[in-house]
Amino acid sequence: MILAVLASDLQKKEIASSAFFRNHEVLFSENISLWSNHIADAFIDLSFEYSRERITKLATLLPKPVLLSSVVETLDRIHPEFIRINGWPGFLKGNCLEASANEGMRARAEKLFGDQMIFVKDEPGFISARIVAMVINEAYFTWEAGISTKEEIDLAMKLGTGYPFGPFEWASLIGEERIALLLNTLAKGNGLYELAQSLKLYNY
């Protein structure tokens, strides 16, 4: 299968070691405006940022599958016929992609990708990003309390849990502003997700 992919340099590095992408022919593109006459079987926008203009352009590619990295914004706000995936740095290296889609698009994606896509409820943060964001938030609370240094917390988490990155390494890789945005979105409905003071500096 041919995949047209728009990605950052960091995402391209992850894609190079991703079992999911190795099973397909990946054609990188620098401009989604060129996709309208593309030979690709599916389109993946890993650089997606919410805007009506961007959504309108991507919608012209339907009914071919359109996958976009949108960890916070859900399909009810973007477009019901798209497929959301978690394309945050650090999450593209595995064998599968975490995704959300309506019933029809999920069935089509499963025919194309089989069990390489794991579908979850269409909620901000999916599952993995929500968990990692909470781990990062708790690490900031721990650091702010003076219990340990960032370096020691990173080391303890990697050695103790087998995580590929410590929470502060995760935050730096993903971007503290993305973590803050997700947690702030979740906090609107649940006080459990209240941001650590240091992460509030990135909340805008």
Side-chain angles (χ1 to χ4, degrees):
M1 187 188 318
I2 300 173
L3 304 178
V5 179
L6 185 67
S8 68
D9 289 341
L10 177 58
Q11 289 168 328
K12 288 177 182 178
K13 289 181 180 179
E14 290 195 14
I15 285 171
S17 61
S18 166
F20 175 89
F21 286 96
R22 277 201 304 271
N23 290 321
H24 309 287
E25 181 180 353
V26 177
L27 300 178
F28 289 110
S29 176
E30 302 300 324
N31 191 336
I32 62 173
S33 297
L34 303 175
W35 284 359
S36 57
N37 297 312
H38 206 288
I39 61 171
D41 300 297
F43 301 89
I44 304 180
D45 184 357
L46 294 176
S47 300
F48 177 78
E49 291 184 5
Y50 182 90
S51 76
R52 295 318 308 177
E53 181 183 4
R54 183 74 157 253
I55 292 167
T56 299
K57 286 182 179 180
L58 291 170
T60 64
L61 304 170
L62 296 168
K64 288 186 177 181
V66 177
L67 290 66
L68 49 87
S69 176
S70 178
V71 174
V72 178
E73 299 287 353
T74 53
L75 294 172
D76 58 351
R77 183 158 188 254
I78 302 170
H79 194 292
E81 298 300 315
F82 291 161
I83 300 172
R84 285 177 61 222
I85 62 172
N86 179 1
W88 270 2
F91 290 90
L92 293 173
K93 295 181 178 180
N95 297 327
C96 302
L97 293 182
E98 188 177 24
S100 293
N102 66 31
E103 188 174 337
M105 289 307 298
R106 174 174 178 169
R108 292 190 62 198
E110 287 175 340
K111 286 183 180 179
L112 291 173
F113 300 107
D115 59 1
Q116 291 182 293
M117 298 187 74
I118 298 175
F119 285 91
V120 300
K121 192 174 180 181
D122 186 33
E123 296 284 350
F126 297 101
I127 296 174
S128 57
R130 185 182 293 217
I131 291 171
V132 168
M134 285 294 286
V135 169
I136 291 169
N137 199 39
E138 189 60 34
Y140 269 100
F141 277 125
T142 302
W143 173 67
E144 289 170 356
I147 294 172
S148 190
T149 66
K150 290 181 178 180
E151 292 75 17
E152 289 172 346
I153 293 170
D154 276 346
L155 182 60
M157 288 299 293
K158 286 190 288 187
L159 295 178
T161 66
Y163 282 6
F165 306 103
F168 296 104
E169 291 173 332
W170 267 116
S172 178
L173 182 66
I174 295 168
E176 289 86 350
E177 66 285 348
R178 287 176 173 160
I179 300 297
L181 176 60
L182 173 57
L183 290 172
N184 188 55
T185 300
L186 296 170
K188 292 176 181 177
N190 190 334
L192 175 69
Y193 297 98
E194 180 184 358
L195 274 72
Q197 191 62 41
S198 298
L199 282 175
K200 289 180 180 178
L201 300 175
Y202 299 96
N203 184 31
Y204 55 88

